[in-house]
Amino acid sequence: MSFLVLLLVVLLERIGHWRERVQQDGPLRAALARVEAEPRLAGHPLWQLAVLLGMPLLLLGLLLWMLAPLAYGILLLPVHVLVLLWSLGRGDPQLSLAPFRDSWLRGDVEAAYLDARRDLGVQAEDAPKLLAEAQGFLLWQAYQGFFAVVIWYAVLGPLAALAYRLLALLVEHAGDAGLRRWAARLRHGLDWLPARLLVLSLALAGNFVAANRVFWAYLFDLRASATQLGAEAGRAAADALPGRGGVETLDELWQLLRRTGLLWYSALALAILLL
């Protein structure tokens, strides 16, 4: 069923704005505000994390358990689709990059700096570094918004995909520094496997030799972040090294990511046929 769910998610993405309709973060942010304001949980980030992470996972687990024996499990399909849609990344990296691309192509570097800081949340000392930051933004958004969620869904199902997105949202929105730090640590642990699988698949879809060097250099480095790993591997696989090329390297990286996504879908389909 995993492969069918992934195909349905891609189809829904193409025929309408289903992700925008499903991805309503208001209830989570309201729950986060209540938990952080609760005096009994103040100063206890692990308990806060247990409530914010454990309750949604427990409710989803109970729902899946109740639906599993009904109608031969068919009722699980829409639940899986909705959970996976909600667990994907927020926003469209291509749309976020559009103002930066336009300013860069016009030769208006000052406007490109402002667009990058406003829309991408990045800034740099000079134009080559700014382009490298934009490349890193695209690779990171594609990774955390799609690849990490898909691999955990394929490996452990909707609970793992939901857990990854909940941690990502807590890192982004939590006001308590302790809660944000623990959520970041757990997400860093969840990033280890999908980040390295992404590097390996980027090597297969692009410059294998260059990306393979990055893969072996970071394979057992537990401190390396998925942001750093994905950015270095993506640039290496697309031959988009810092200081080389212009804004067209963003298009090359996007095409590389699309080929990598197709590779993941093909590998999942093959695994289903063989297992």
Side-chain angles (χ1 to χ4, degrees), residues 209-232:
V209 175
N212 194 47
R213 293 197 193 101
V214 178
F215 175 76
W216 288 108
Y218 289 103
L219 179 58
F220 299 109
D221 188 350
L222 299 179
R223 293 177 296 178
S225 67
T227 308
Q228 177 186 3
L229 188 56
E232 291 191 21

Side-chain angles (χ1 to χ4, degrees), residues 77-199:
L77 181 62
V79 176
H80 280 232
V81 171
L82 290 174
V83 170
L84 186 57
L85 276 173
W86 190 86
S87 300
L88 294 176
R90 274 48 178 162
D92 186 336
Q94 289 286 75
L95 291 178
S96 299
L97 281 164
F100 168 81
R101 288 168 51 87
D102 293 341
S103 299
W104 187 283
L105 290 172
R106 291 197 312 268
D108 192 343
V109 179
E110 183 177 352
Y113 275 99
L114 295 175
D115 292 333
R117 184 170 58 185
R118 181 193 65 224
D119 300 328
L120 314 182
V122 301
Q123 47 189 333
E125 301 172 356
D126 51 42
K129 290 183 179 179
L130 183 64
L131 180 60
E133 291 291 335
Q135 294 168 351
F137 169 85
L138 176 60
L139 289 161
W140 168 247
Q141 293 301 321
Y143 164 77
Q144 66 88 24
F146 177 78
F147 288 101
V149 176
V150 166
I151 191 59
W152 281 122
Y153 174 78
V155 173
L156 294 178
L159 287 171
L162 177 62
Y164 186 88
R165 183 53 52 201
L166 287 172
L167 288 172
L169 291 173
L170 290 177
V171 171
E172 182 179 357
H173 297 299
D176 185 273
L179 175 59
R180 198 165 54 246
R181 183 169 58 252
W182 277 104
R185 288 177 180 175
L186 287 179
R187 187 177 68 169
H188 179 75
L190 289 178
D191 279 331
W192 191 93
L193 176 63
R196 281 147 186 83
L197 288 177
L198 175 63
V199 173

